[in-house]
Amino acid sequence: MSFDYDLFVIGGGSGGVRAARISAGYGAKVGLAEESRMGGTCVIRGCVPKKLMIFASSAPEAAEEAQDYGWPDATAGEFSWRAFKSKLDTELDRLEAAYARGFESVGGTIYHQRARLVGPHEVELANGKRITAKHILIAVGGRPQLPGIEGEELGMISDDLFLMREIPGRVLVVGGGFIACEFATILNGLGSDTVLAYRGDKVLRGFDHDGRVLVTEQLGEIGVDLRLGLTPTRLEKDGDGVTVRFDDGSCDRFDAVMFATGRSPYTGGLGLEEVGVKLGPKGEIVVDEWSQTNIPSIYAVGDVTDRVNLTPVAIREGHSFADTLFGNNPRHLDHSLVASAVYTRPHEFASVGMTEDEAIERGRVEVYDARFRPMRSAFAGSDARVMMKLLVDEDSRKVLGCHIFGPEAGELIQLAAIPITMGATKEDFDRTVAVHPTIAEEMVTMRQPTRRHEVHQDGNS
Ligand code: NDP
């Protein structure tokens, strides 16, 4: 049977474009459908604009620090959302064009419309055109998920933040994950009176305990009004703003509300059930380690599979898929050691490998936990402390996890992730000579464990 394409990709985000471009580079005939802008969540309404907003929001701190370094007149002045937004739009247009060009330059064809499956080898575009392909890859990502409360349509989701006409005077952020912590930090830095309501007792559930404590404390220290153990139950329109009722009976008025209550796979209306593609409980596409679904011609990568929902993971899954199918180089991704960073300010929190609680479950563990005031901010009079934590398996001496709370922790963890991925031992870290004076040198100078965990026979430490 002959097909229109060797591969048809649904979704022009990080994972889909990487798979499509690499496959086309191997000589495959590749088509791709994208209903919105090329680049997807990360480039258009996620990591990229978010990180640029983090940079923008750090200007007042930089000015304050400059004063402490002998520049008495340094001031950030007034933030102009309009000026920033116009530059941001130009940058996103550039990136979107680069994504499209990169694929088209290797012979790929882009259909700027929604597509859905109509068979194991066939998709239908929104204009009714049907296209056949030997292989179909679904890379449609995820969508913000609302909490299901009355009036929630009055709130924003993270996508909307990048489209704001002005910075809200008083804003409520709901949630305690990556997005809530980062956006509370950004909005606070850009001048919004920011309230963060989270139902738990400290943010970032699932991360290392000590890092969670430090991020929670830092949010309060930078001026975010933290309301822990609190959940909104109803939103009501109130003039230009929104009145929010909470589960403790209180209510409060905000100019804007942003929900950061998680994301779910964007599988609705894709024709998956009709074609018989197996879905998991959250609507995610179930795949094996080769990203193949139960229908042999259909594959899926990225957040739509709900494995590790991070851009570089989607990219690596897409690349591995292309290498396997068209590059004669079968390979798949090991999802067990993926580093990530939460871009809070002034300190970021970044991790790779096991949390302390997870390491304890596994066996005898040494914990190296260094806390110190870094030279730069200490000179400026700040009490802010950095945390560097290494978790070491006492028997194999391997470093099982690394957690950093400090300036540029995202940059540091990327480098720490290399030896840890290679299986480095604590002694490998120790024989590495320090770079002085840096924050990162602590990573190779932690001589004595701060604590040890023994696993008792009942499994408790
Ligand atoms: P997360 O799943 O990380 O966090 C969702 C938060 O919302 C949790 O704190 C959760 O509470 C809370 N929540 C969920 N449902 C409700 C509800 N009904 N009422 C009140 N609170 C609720 O999702 P995010 O939206 O923060 O991020 C989505 C994904 O985006 C992440 O998985 C991450 O992979 C990715 N991302 C990565 C970034 C990075 O790498 N820097 C940055 C931003 C996003 P609880 O903890 O109690 O369940």
Side-chain angles (χ1 to χ4, degrees):
M1 181 174 173
S2 81
F3 298 101
D4 298 324
Y5 288 99
D6 298 314
L7 170 67
F8 197 86
V9 179
I10 307 180
S14 304
V17 170
R18 176 59 68 96
R21 184 167 60 76
I22 301 298
S23 300
Y26 285 131
K29 187 178 178 199
V30 185
L32 180 148
E34 168 56 56
E35 65 179 343
S36 177
R37 298 177 66 183
M38 289 293 284
T41 300
C42 170
V43 174
I44 304 297
R45 61 194 87 83
C47 324
V48 171
K50 178 277 304 287
K51 188 111 191 236
L52 292 169
M53 283 174 82
I54 284 276
F55 293 145
S57 72
S58 64
E61 274 154 23
E64 237 175 75
E65 190 186 73
Q67 289 178 12
D68 292 316
Y69 272 87
W71 301 83
D73 300 330
T75 159
E78 186 98 348
F79 175 66
S80 166
W81 171 248
R82 187 186 290 236
F84 173 77
K85 177 78 167 56
S86 138
K87 278 199 80 177
L88 179 65
D89 289 345
T90 306
E91 177 61 2
L92 299 188
D93 288 348
R94 185 186 73 77
L95 289 170
E96 181 184 11
Y99 262 70
R101 206 171 43 243
F103 174 48
E104 286 171 335
S105 68
V106 284
T109 305
I110 300 172
Y111 297 88
H112 291 279
Q113 46 190 308
R114 188 170 167 77
R116 68 183 182 95
L117 288 174
V118 288
H121 293 283
E122 195 168 22
V123 300
E124 185 180 85
L125 301 179
N127 66 3
K129 180 181 168 68
R130 290 199 170 201
I131 294 172
T132 60
K134 185 167 183 198
H135 305 285
I136 296 172
L137 177 70
I138 301 167
V140 294
R143 280 285 179 280
Q145 176 184 288
L146 293 172
I149 60 174
E150 205 180 317
E152 65 185 13
E153 67 284 355
L154 297 170
M156 298 189 286
I157 53 172
S158 54
D159 300 13
D160 302 324
L161 260 284
F162 308 112
L163 306 172
M164 290 183 303
R165 300 176 84 96
E166 57 187 22
I167 298 295
R170 185 154 195 267
V171 63
L172 171 70
V173 178
V174 184
F178 277 94
I179 296 182
C181 293
E182 293 179 344
F183 275 97
T185 301
I186 290 170
L187 289 162
N188 166 268
L190 296 183
S192 286
D193 175 6
T194 308
V195 177
L196 178 76
Y198 173 49
R199 61 188 178 185
D201 63 350
K202 50 185 153 330
V203 295
L204 296 176
R205 192 162 60 84
F207 284 79
D208 188 77
H209 171 86
D210 288 319
R212 294 180 65 195
V213 171
L214 291 165
V215 174
T216 306
E217 286 174 359
Q218 176 175 269
L219 284 165
E221 282 158 16
I222 63 170
V224 173
D225 179 354
L226 264 183
R227 310 235 179 126
L228 299 171
L230 197 65
T231 306
T233 51
R234 200 163 86 208
L235 271 59
E236 292 156 16
K237 185 135 187 61
D238 183 349
D240 286 343
V242 183
T243 291
V244 181
R245 295 186 186 282
F246 294 95
D247 60 352
D248 65 349
S250 64
C251 85
D252 206 342
R253 187 186 182 283
F254 300 92
D255 297 310
V257 175
M258 176 197 167
F259 289 107
T261 44
R263 295 175 64 87
S264 45
Y266 185 42
T267 41
L270 264 187
L272 294 160
E273 292 92 339
E274 292 85 335
V275 174
V277 176
K278 192 169 166 206
L279 300 180
K282 287 174 70 182
E284 74 276 20
I285 298 179
V286 178
V287 290
D288 64 13
E289 74 264 43
W290 302 100
S291 297
Q292 190 171 27
T293 71
N294 59 312
I295 308 285
S297 56
I298 301 177
Y299 293 74
V301 294
D303 288 8
V304 76
T305 63
D306 196 30
R307 286 177 279 182
V308 178
N309 297 332
L310 294 169
T311 297
V313 172
I315 290 173
R316 199 55 80 80
E317 288 168 356
H319 204 129
S320 303
F321 159 86
D323 285 349
T324 303
L325 253 74
F326 301 106
N328 196 25
N329 176 21
R331 64 188 186 105
H332 53 72
L333 177 62
D334 173 5
H335 291 86
S336 66
L337 266 182
V338 175
S340 69
V342 187
Y343 297 104
T344 45
R345 242 197 25 258
H347 290 182
E348 301 171 356
F349 177 44
S351 295
V352 63
M354 294 181 194
T355 64
E356 188 169 336
D357 289 342
E358 287 166 350
I360 294 170
E361 290 287 310
R362 189 179 172 280
R364 299 193 306 148
V365 184
E366 287 177 357
V367 181
Y368 296 81
D369 181 347
R371 315 276 174 121
F372 56 98
R373 293 166 69 204
M375 178 199 255
R376 178 171 173 159
S377 53
F379 181 83
S382 163
D383 274 336
R385 282 178 189 272
V386 163
M387 176 190 79
M388 279 204 186
K389 187 195 269 197
L390 288 178
L391 304 165
V392 178
D393 182 309
E394 272 214 57
D395 300 318
S396 70
R397 306 300 301 153
K398 278 194 179 167
V399 178
L400 303 173
C402 175
H403 305 278
I404 304 173
F405 176 76
E408 308 285 354
E411 303 289 346
L412 301 182
I413 207 75
Q414 177 66 86
L415 298 181
I418 299 170
I420 293 173
T421 302
M422 293 169 74
T425 61
K426 179 67 172 62
E427 286 63 37
D428 292 324
F429 276 67
D430 291 347
R431 69 191 166 86
T432 306
V433 178
V435 177
H436 185 71
T438 63
I439 289 174
E441 67 183 301
E442 199 68 21
M443 193 83 79
V444 297
T445 54
M446 291 189 268
R447 293 285 170 236
Q448 293 301 321
T450 319
R451 51 191 174 271
R452 283 194 160 85
H453 297 285
E454 301 282 343
V455 173
H456 301 307
Q457 281 184 339
D458 61 1
N460 296 322
S461 72

